[in-house]
Every structure is written in C-alpha cells, then in structure tokens.
Amino acid sequence: MAVVVYALDRATKAWAVGHLTPGQPQDLVGSVLRLNLINNPGAAFSMATSATWLLTLIAVGVVVAILYTVRRLHSWGWAWALGLLLGGACGNLTDRMIRPPGPGRGHVVDFLQLPHWPIFNVADSSIVCAAVLIVLLALRGIGVDGRRSADGKHEASDG
C-alpha cells in the first residue's frame, strides 16, 4: 500500500507541476473538485508555514516509527493504515527534501481543491484516510499485533 500511495502521489504531483499554473484554477468536476496548484511550506491547512524544518523532522520520525512498528504487525487493518500513512508521509517528505527552497525546507505541491477546504494532494488524502482507519481500529480495540483488547485482556482477532 505504501508503494502504491507513494507512486500515485509522485506521479500526480509531477503531472500537476507540468500542466497547471499557480493562481489559475481549473474545474475538474464542476466546482466540486478543482485543480489549483500551490507550493505549501506548511503542514495541513497551511499551518506552521515557518516551521518547515520541524515538519521535516516530524515526518522522518513518523517514517522511522512505522518501520519499527511493522516488525510486530499481524493485522490487515493496521497494515492498510500504516501503509497509507507511510506512503503519504514519504510523499510529502520527498517534496520537503527535493523541492525549493532547499533540502529539509522544500515546499509541498498541493493541487486538489474542494469547496471550503484547503488545497491538498494524494499524500494528504492518504494520511487522513490512515488517521480515520487508526481511530476505527483503536475504537474496536484491535492492536497492531492483531489482538483485540476486551477489558484489558487480549484475544486473537482477524483485525
């Protein structure tokens, strides 16, 4: 899943940079989904625009934590969630490392726009989907090891 998300994110960003002009939005699905190219120095919702280095370090920490956790993974749900999160984190981290103004400070390519919503990309969507899936798994009490917790006890689960 991580490889698919990463490849899709990189391909769509390359297309957007090659075919869209900043400040010239184009309707894709009426006014419901528009293509609107921006270079975002911040995080989701353009927060922390002056903390690009910090965002880069957080993304590296997320990638390392996922790679460490994968060794204990015995749940399909968690595999999907962490794959989505890893692919999205790596997609935006790649932008931070290779795009201007320089390594660790690069701006993320965003180009998908919904009404009344900040402009985003495939990696952002993947990270949000991962977060939703992680919350659902946690609410169901399914651990990374695939066991379901019930009243503090762990029992086997299909997860």
Side-chain angles (χ1 to χ4, degrees), residues 10 75 89 119 140:
R10 300 311 308 153
S75 161
I119 301 171
R140 290 188 59 208

Side-chain angles (χ1 to χ4, degrees), residues 98-157:
I98 67 171
R99 299 205 37 87
R105 298 174 294 122
H107 296 183
V108 173
V109 173
D110 288 336
F111 61 95
L112 299 168
Q113 184 176 23
L114 297 169
H116 313 292
W117 198 257
I119 301 171
F120 60 99
N121 59 46
V122 171
D124 297 335
S125 298
S126 175
I127 291 167
V128 169
C129 290
V132 169
L133 189 50
I134 288 168
V135 167
L136 291 174
L137 290 164
L139 289 173
R140 290 188 59 208
I142 299 172
V144 174
D145 62 0
R147 294 175 185 238
R148 184 182 303 263
S149 123
D151 297 332
K153 300 176 184 175
H154 287 293
E155 52 189 62
S157 170

Side-chain angles (χ1 to χ4, degrees), residues 31-52:
S31 62
V32 174
L33 179 60
R34 302 178 86 190
L35 302 175
N36 190 0
L37 181 64
I38 64 166
N39 294 302
N40 182 1
F45 310 110
S46 295
M47 295 185 311
T49 56
S50 62
T52 307

Side-chain angles (χ1 to χ4, degrees), residues 1-13 42-44 55-56 58-64 66-67 79-97 107-110 120-131 134:
M1 179 53 59
V3 171
V4 170
V5 167
Y6 182 77
L8 187 59
D9 181 66
R10 300 311 308 153
T12 57
K13 286 176 179 174
L55 298 171
T56 300
I58 290 169
V60 169
V62 166
V63 169
V64 169
I66 291 170
L67 294 175
W80 277 86
L82 294 180
L84 288 165
L85 184 57
L86 181 61
C90 286
N92 284 341
L93 181 58
T94 299
D95 280 0
R96 298 250 181 248
M97 297 310 291
H107 296 183
V108 173
V109 173
D110 288 336
F120 60 99
N121 59 46
V122 171
D124 297 335
S125 298
S126 175
I127 291 167
V128 169
C129 290
I134 288 168

Side-chain angles (χ1 to χ4, degrees), residues 60-74:
V60 169
V62 166
V63 169
V64 169
I66 291 170
L67 294 175
Y68 177 78
T69 302
V70 161
R71 299 179 308 156
R72 300 178 313 161
L73 197 58
H74 294 289

